[in-house]
Amino acid sequence: MTQIAKLFRIDADNHELMEAQLAAFSRQVPLLYFILSVNSLALASTHFGLAPAYLTVAFPAVLVSACAIRCLIWLRRRDRAVQRDAAARTLRSTVVLGGILGFAFLAWALSLFPYGDAPRHGHILFFVGITVVSCIFCLMHVRPAALILTGTVIAPFVIFLLASGETVKIAIGLNLFLVTVAMIYILIICSGQFAAMVNGQIETRRLSNENFRLANIDSLTDLPNRRQFFHRLTDLAAQAKISRHTFVVGVLDLDGFKAVNDLYGHGVGDRVLKETGQRLLALSDQRQFIARLGGDEFGIIVDAELDHDAVLAVGAKVCSAFDAPFAVAGILAKIGGSVGFALAPDAGTTAEQLYERADYALYHAKARHRGQPVIFSREHEVEIRKLSTIEHTLRRIDLDAELSVHYQPIVDVDATRLVGFEALARWHSPELGPVAPDVFISVAERTELIGTITQVLLRKALAAAASWPDNLCLSFNLSMRDLVSEVTILQIVSIIEGSSIDPRRIIIEVTETALMQDYEQVQASLRILRTMGLKVALDDFGAGQSSLSYVHQLSLDKIKIDRGFIRNIAEQENSRNIVKTVIDLCRNLKFDCVVEGVETAEQVEIIRRLGCATMQGYFFAKPMAQHDVAGFIASFDVPDREQAAVA
Ligand code: C2E
Ligand code: MG
Ligand code: MG
């Protein structure tokens, strides 16, 4: 019973199926009403003059008009989206109206019976049989309507025929009954297949929507991912080009995340990123779009016209997400966030330009305003141009001819002896003049040029060191990009092997930022170099972020204390305490310690009293050209300690 009731039910829960049924039926509607009207007019005409006018003119006119109105209603409704309730209502009214109209046509046709002769009786039987079969086929996609029509037309019609007692009519009735049974069977199968096809399409669409969602969502944080970020950025940039409306793009990078990730593992790192996403979402309003771009980088788009101060306020709010430490897996991790913004369209008109500029502002924030927002400005634009000129020049020039190396002595003030020299890159460009090494090295680091530059400098430094006494070491700076490139490391190994220098005389200086990149690869590179006999010094110690984890995990030989602590060492007790702590740390971990940036005799004395005798700085000598090194070695004399103290 329930199965039969189900056949007559509109599945109101399946909106897509109802929509598909309405769409399929609306395509058949004109045909249905056309057949019905033409057949009715034909029947009316064969009975015209024989039957009363209300049956051959008025009644058919009303029925045909009703058909025309229904047809028009359906044609108007055709391309309109239907609401869930409206779809169910329309289908139900189709079922009810189908039944009423069908019965009305049947009643009309049978009411003509008493007025016709045998051929006209045949016409009536033919009219009812053929018309109802055609209509049922047109209603095939709306099964309940087709079944109701069968019930309201064929059932009484068959009863009418069987009850006539005439053999021919009984035969026609039985015939029609059999055809109806077959038709219902086909109808149920076809409508089932139709529903299955529509449900299949719904499932395919659902899967494709899910795929689309997954392709656009970051699975860790559930935030939109890089792809969606750039998609939105590209759309907004294109709109802004036409309407000149403004919007803001931000790039946020976590400070100190790498250390947490390396120290406590990726599980903890992942939870920090997840919580970061939640914190950022909690702070944002609907105008802000927040995405995870990858690693510990997040993107922000604010689709609103904000002035400079308003952008800084958004940035401050974003950075405040890191005010509270992250309590994850029993660990309390203090992580910061720096953010760079670019304002469209002033800072750029394409997604790439805007992202690059926001990223450039972020680079500034990280370098100079850690934990704060920075907006891309005209000065940054000038800098970008300058850096791009440097990059293009570096690409063109003969690196071997234009780059040179200067050497700054490293001194042991206790033993009054020279320990060695640090090789420092110099570029005096005929076009640009002297370019500071930290500037052109960082430009080279952002391109693939750094590997070649390192090799050129290393060859020169090794050639120079070959002429020094054997007891002097050569300190050589390696960039982070060198350390994460297996190819460059192998080339460095082959250059060192090809030189006449004992690898044990070479010290590789690496900075903390280098170590924070691809930790595993950096460790592997350092292992290769140490196996050869080279030593490793951690450069600029303390200038970056908390580094004790690296000191602990990496096999280092030496730590160079950043000159930032030395500048005010005479005046600031705090600086003295930090330097003392690092010197003690080195002693405990059995590392050598070098203090950089020593400029005055007073500083020499303080540092010596704090326990470190190996120093480097302008007080002893500024970096010098190779041709001055021999003279310096020959006349080397550590300034007298007492003399230094007086000075
Ligand atoms: P660094 O490796 O920490 O080098 C020490 C820097 O401090 C040098 O700057 C040196 O001239 C400067 N310095 C030394 N003593 C004093 C002092 O008493 N007072 C002051 N104010 N400064 C002092 P420079 O030569 O400008 O190099 C800057 C940075 O550029 C280097 O810092 C290093 O990170 C990078 N660099 C230089 N040469 C190379 C190189 O060949 N390869 C790589 N990858 N980086 C290099
Ligand atoms: Mg160095
Ligand atoms: Mg240094």
Side-chain angles (χ1 to χ4, degrees), residues 422 477 509 511 539-541 560-563 596 616:
E422 175 175 3
N477 295 284
E509 294 195 6
T511 57
D539 203 357
D540 304 340
F541 185 81
K560 293 184 82 173
I561 303 178
D562 189 66
R563 66 169 185 265
E596 298 184 282
Q616 180 182 351

Side-chain angles (χ1 to χ4, degrees), residues 326-346:
F326 287 74
V328 174
I331 296 152
L332 210 58
K334 181 77 189 103
I335 283 173
S338 305
V339 57
F341 286 108
L343 273 59
D346 289 352

Side-chain angles (χ1 to χ4, degrees), residues 47 108-117 121 124-125 160 169:
H47 288 77
W108 169 68
L110 294 184
S111 67
L112 291 172
F113 230 89
Y115 306 101
D117 49 11
H121 287 172
I124 292 173
L125 300 185
F160 167 80
K169 284 184 187 160

Side-chain angles (χ1 to χ4, degrees), residues 5-299:
K6 220 171 146 191
L7 293 174
F8 286 87
R9 200 179 305 135
I10 298 288
D11 189 358
D13 293 335
N14 194 340
H15 182 66
E16 282 92 346
L17 178 61
M18 288 193 296
E19 263 190 344
Q21 286 173 330
L22 286 175
F25 177 56
S26 68
R27 278 194 296 275
Q28 328 269 34
V29 162
L31 185 63
L32 182 142
Y33 286 119
F34 178 74
I35 293 171
L36 198 52
S37 302
V38 168
N39 289 2
S40 304
L41 290 176
L43 188 67
S45 69
T46 57
H47 288 77
F48 188 69
L50 294 174
Y54 75 89
L55 283 181
T56 53
V57 179
F59 210 82
V62 171
L63 288 179
V64 169
S65 305
C67 290
I69 292 167
R70 285 293 294 161
C71 192
L72 278 176
I73 291 174
W74 274 98
L75 288 177
R76 282 186 56 201
R77 188 187 278 159
R78 209 177 220 182
D79 298 318
R80 259 187 256 153
V82 258
Q83 301 293 320
R84 185 174 291 267
D85 290 350
R89 232 181 299 122
T90 309
L91 283 170
R92 281 195 192 107
S93 68
T94 303
V95 174
V96 174
L97 259 167
I100 293 172
L101 265 180
F103 191 75
F105 271 99
L106 174 70
W108 169 68
L110 294 184
S111 67
L112 291 172
F113 230 89
Y115 306 101
D117 49 11
R120 284 183 179 81
H121 287 172
H123 189 182
I124 292 173
L125 300 185
F126 183 78
F127 166 78
V128 175
I130 206 73
T131 309
V132 78
V133 168
S134 312
C135 292
I136 287 169
F137 268 102
C138 288
L139 282 166
M140 176 161 313
H141 296 112
V142 192
R143 188 186 54 216
L147 291 178
I148 291 284
L149 194 61
T150 311
T152 52
V153 178
I154 295 188
F157 186 51
V158 169
I159 292 169
F160 167 80
L161 293 172
L162 296 181
S164 68
E166 293 173 35
T167 321
V168 176
K169 284 184 187 160
I170 292 172
I172 293 175
L174 288 175
N175 227 324
L176 192 59
F177 177 73
L178 283 177
V179 169
T180 306
V181 170
M183 215 167 50
I184 289 175
Y185 176 71
I186 294 170
L187 184 103
I188 290 171
I189 290 182
C190 284
S191 67
Q193 284 172 345
F194 180 72
M197 185 191 78
V198 172
N199 287 334
Q201 282 172 350
I202 295 168
E203 182 61 9
T204 311
R205 210 174 313 131
R206 193 191 63 76
L207 287 175
S208 118
N209 286 347
E210 180 64 7
N211 279 346
F212 181 79
R213 197 187 72 82
L214 289 177
N216 286 281
I217 289 285
D218 170 58
S219 55
L220 179 67
T221 57
D222 275 344
L223 289 176
N225 63 8
R226 188 180 189 87
R227 183 193 167 111
Q228 199 180 148
F229 176 81
F230 275 98
H231 194 76
R232 183 170 278 229
L233 195 52
T234 309
D235 278 356
L236 271 179
Q239 278 172 30
K241 244 185 209 161
I242 302 163
S243 63
R244 294 290 297 167
H245 92 276
T246 63
F247 62 96
V248 182
V249 183
V251 183
L252 165 83
D253 193 274
L254 306 193
D255 301 321
F257 172 75
K258 198 91 178 106
V260 170
N261 210 29
D262 288 342
L263 204 58
Y264 302 114
H266 292 261
V268 171
D270 282 355
R271 288 174 63 180
V272 167
L273 290 173
K274 226 170 161 172
E275 192 172 329
T276 301
Q278 285 160 0
R279 290 187 185 189
L280 291 175
L281 272 187
L283 286 172
S284 65
D285 56 39
Q286 323 97 311
R287 292 176 316 171
Q288 292 173 19
F289 171 83
I290 303 209
R292 179 172 169 229
L293 304 183
D296 59 349
E297 194 177 84
F298 292 80

Side-chain angles (χ1 to χ4, degrees), residues 408-412 418-422 475 560 594 614-616:
Q408 186 178 33
I410 301 166
V411 171
D412 181 337
L418 203 52
V419 177
F421 290 88
E422 175 175 3
S475 271
K560 293 184 82 173
V594 182
T614 316
M615 301 179 203
Q616 180 182 351

